Amino acid sequence: LMLITLLATSSASWAQDHEGHKHGAGGTLKEIPVEQLNKAGSLPDISIGKPDAQITIIEYASMTCGHCGRFHRDLLPQVKAKYIDTGTARLLVREFPLEKVALAAAMLPRCVSPDKSYDFIATLFARQQLWLQKGNVRPRLVRISKEFGMTESALDSCLQDDSLVEKIMSSRQRAVEEFGVKSTPTFFINGKPLVGPQSIVEFDKIIQPMLKK
């Protein structure tokens, strides 16, 4: 009930407050063994791309993080065209909510058919500046959710799912404790960390040498 009520409160501060979560202390992240990163967590990964792609890009993102939104709107299309659509890489998106509005928004794609989950996330990031405006967030999320077959009552049930909350927060805690994630967006490319990338060149510098091996 708390998450449902929370969505009716002003949300403008979240977009502003979490603009600064790009760098944090993420620059000191260490490379993580791929097997450890890929080990199944409390929730199945939401992904796009060939399952057997040579390169696995794992993104830890918060739905209210402005830098995450810009990555998905501006930079991901380039990465997708160059690496994912060509079968070279796959992208796994993992939830790393920075606060409760982000947690609520992260829950919704988990409550629709799995084949719609990634598109739901993509839509939330594409329209982030619209649904995260000042005022009542709930009607905006209800409208988006309906596009993916979720009724308003189903949305309420989703946000009251304590088990889902626990799984998302468990995944977040694992990212902090095992992988050192402290800010969003944080990426691991076949285990190599990349925090808050600004251009595709940063992906190229990590991926291209891997393709030559």
Side-chain angles (χ1 to χ4, degrees), residues 39 72 127:
K39 184 179 178 183
H72 277 262
R127 302 182 197 171

Side-chain angles (χ1 to χ4, degrees), residues 8-144:
T9 64
S10 174
S11 60
S13 60
W14 294 125
Q16 180 178 358
D17 291 347
H18 294 289
E19 281 293 305
H21 279 268
K22 179 182 64 170
H23 292 298
T28 60
L29 290 183
K30 297 178 181 179
E31 184 171 351
I32 306 294
V34 175
E35 298 77 13
Q36 185 179 351
L37 276 168
N38 290 349
K39 184 179 178 183
S42 54
L43 288 166
D45 280 316
I46 297 173
S47 66
I48 55 170
K50 286 176 56 178
D52 60 348
Q54 181 180 349
I55 306 296
T56 296
I57 304 170
I58 296 176
E59 177 192 11
Y60 283 95
S62 175
M63 298 309 305
T64 56
C65 157
H67 292 290
C68 301
R70 279 195 290 276
F71 167 77
H72 277 262
R73 291 189 299 271
D74 303 333
L75 185 51
L76 179 57
Q78 300 174 50
V79 175
K80 188 172 180 291
K82 188 169 185 177
Y83 295 115
I84 299 174
D85 292 345
T86 58
T88 301
R90 63 174 179 150
L91 172 69
L92 278 57
V93 182
R94 292 179 177 174
E95 301 93 342
F96 196 90
L98 295 171
E99 35 68 31
K100 292 174 183 177
V101 173
L103 172 60
M107 294 172 72
L108 301 180
R110 293 287 184 179
C111 293
V112 298
S113 173
D115 64 323
K116 297 180 180 179
S117 295
Y118 177 81
D119 288 339
F120 200 146
I121 290 173
T123 300
L124 287 172
F125 278 128
R127 302 182 197 171
Q128 186 189 63
Q129 294 165 306
L130 297 176
W131 66 263
L132 206 51
Q133 289 177 356
K134 183 178 180 179
N136 190 344
V137 178
R138 178 189 167 88
R140 302 166 197 154
L141 288 180
V142 168
R143 284 195 294 271
I144 294 174

